[in-house]
Amino acid sequence: MMKDDVIIITGAAMGLGLATAQLLAKEGAKLVLVDFNEEALNRTVENLKSTYPEVKIISLLADVSKEDEVKNYVDTAVNEFGRIDGFYNNAGIEGKQASVTNYDLDIFKKVIDINLMGVYYGLRYVIPVMQKQKYGRIVNVSSVGGIRGVLNQMPYVASKHAVSGMTKNAALEYGKDGILTNAIAPGAILTPMVAEAFKQINPDDPKAAEKEYASHNPTRALGDPKDVASVVAYLLSKTNGYVSGQTIAIDGGESNMYGSPE
Ligand SMILES: NC(=O)c1ccc[n+]([C@@H]2O[C@H](COP(=O)([O-])OP(=O)(O)OC[C@H]3O[C@@H](n4cnc5c(N)ncnc54)[C@H](O)[C@@H]3O)[C@@H](O)[C@H]2O)c1
């Protein structure tokens, strides 16, 4: 489906970014992997190269909240591979769990800088490349927290609502250039970020917090990063010819629920 497509993935070293990198490496895409965690990024690249020896990968250290570092990963992708077919604008953080009036201001601003400005900088530099090509597929990462409120996570919820909003605007403004832009809204997918949230909710027994959370989902389970990767791969591919401007929930149906499951 994606042989030789050039795909940038931010936050590629772990979790959802890593799962999509694995799937796209298997499909023969050319990958530009971006992360700010050097050790985890190097480990990911080594693993991918040993599993898929033919895969073409460049990896770049960048903090997506720094505009010059975003410009650099986009320029490097173009210099190295000549084009950008798909952009998985995924890097994000959760922040800390705290009520609205007790939220630490520095952490609040950091969440906004990474989740909102980081996604925006990516769009700002990738879209002109795709406009020249008259082709591009973009997947921004929102969250169920971009559709609903989530207790004790105000900056996360604010930033993810913004991601869904920016997705609509990018889709409206650049559809004429052959660029389809969507967002995904994962529910609770078991990645290192979500494991950390369960530790904050119940430091003595994070597994109990995980089980309790899963019991409220219609499927009674948490999601697997692979469940997300397959949807992202479709949205980043040429097979997607007409889906644009959407925020697609990947949450076992939970965001449609009113009341508790039986
Ligand atoms: N896991 C879930 O259930 C879930 C649910 C909804 C939304 N999301 C969103 O999915 C995305 C990925 O989350 P995840 O669960 O895989 O998290 P994760 O913490 O497991 O992985 C995130 C990766 O992004 C990198 N990263 C974080 N900030 C960065 C920055 N400023 N610059 C560059 N790299 C950075 C980290 O080093 C890490 O490799 C995030 O945007 C998150 O908000 C996840």
Side-chain angles (χ1 to χ4, degrees):
M1 185 160 73
M2 303 188 69
K3 177 112 184 71
D4 290 331
D5 280 0
V6 178
I7 310 289
I8 299 179
I9 302 176
T10 66
M14 282 193 276
L16 301 186
L18 168 62
T20 296
Q22 286 165 330
L23 179 59
L24 298 190
K26 190 168 157 200
E27 294 204 0
K30 296 176 181 166
L31 299 176
V32 180
L33 304 184
V34 177
D35 208 287
F36 69 177
N37 181 333
E38 185 168 17
E39 198 194 322
L41 185 61
N42 289 343
R43 201 170 45 238
T44 290
V45 172
E46 273 169 36
N47 288 342
L48 285 172
K49 282 187 173 160
S50 78
T51 315
Y52 305 104
E54 304 293 301
V55 72
K56 293 199 171 57
I57 301 184
I58 46 177
S59 63
L60 287 153
L61 272 182
D63 178 341
V64 300
S65 66
K66 305 210 164 107
E67 186 185 351
D68 56 332
E69 296 185 20
V70 173
K71 183 176 184 312
N72 181 55
Y73 78 64
V74 174
D75 288 348
T76 309
V78 174
N79 290 340
E80 198 74 21
F81 288 134
R83 55 184 288 117
I84 302 168
D85 296 289
F87 178 38
Y88 187 23
N89 206 356
N90 162 72
I93 59 167
E94 191 191 63
K96 296 279 174 214
Q97 309 260 339
S99 62
V100 171
T101 52
N102 289 319
Y103 214 97
D104 181 288
L105 263 184
D106 287 335
I107 299 176
F108 197 112
K109 286 177 186 162
K110 191 170 173 200
V111 172
I112 298 295
D113 271 351
I114 294 177
N115 293 7
L116 194 162
M117 293 312 296
V119 165
Y120 171 65
Y121 294 142
L123 296 172
R124 185 178 176 94
Y125 288 101
V126 167
I127 286 172
V129 178
M130 291 180 166
Q131 277 184 296
K132 278 193 206 131
Q133 301 166 176
K134 288 273 166 210
Y135 176 83
R137 299 285 179 268
I138 298 173
V139 176
N140 297 320
V141 179
S142 179
S143 166
V144 168
I147 303 171
R148 294 187 170 261
V150 182
L151 288 176
N152 297 318
Q153 294 191 26
M154 189 191 240
Y156 187 78
V157 165
S159 67
K160 294 301 187 180
H161 274 71
V163 169
S164 291
M166 290 191 289
T167 299
K168 290 177 189 163
N169 255 62
L172 293 180
E173 292 178 34
Y174 302 103
K176 65 180 183 333
D177 299 316
I179 304 172
L180 303 183
T181 306
N182 290 287
I184 54 162
I189 314 291
L190 200 49
T191 63
M193 185 183 91
V194 167
E196 173 57 32
F198 290 132
K199 269 192 222 153
Q200 286 184 40
I201 292 166
N202 186 348
D204 296 330
D205 191 357
K207 276 281 160 202
E210 187 183 317
K211 227 171 139 190
E212 217 283 309
Y213 199 92
S215 73
H216 297 289
N217 191 281
T219 67
R220 309 293 192 276
L222 300 180
D224 187 289
K226 286 183 186 154
D227 301 327
V228 176
S230 53
V231 178
V232 173
Y234 167 75
L235 292 171
L236 286 176
S237 74
K238 293 181 187 73
T239 312
N240 174 21
Y242 207 46
V243 180
S244 198
Q246 304 306 308
T247 294
I248 297 167
I250 308 168
D251 67 347
E254 192 171 355
S255 53
N256 287 323
M257 197 157 63
Y258 184 63
S260 301
E262 302 262 297

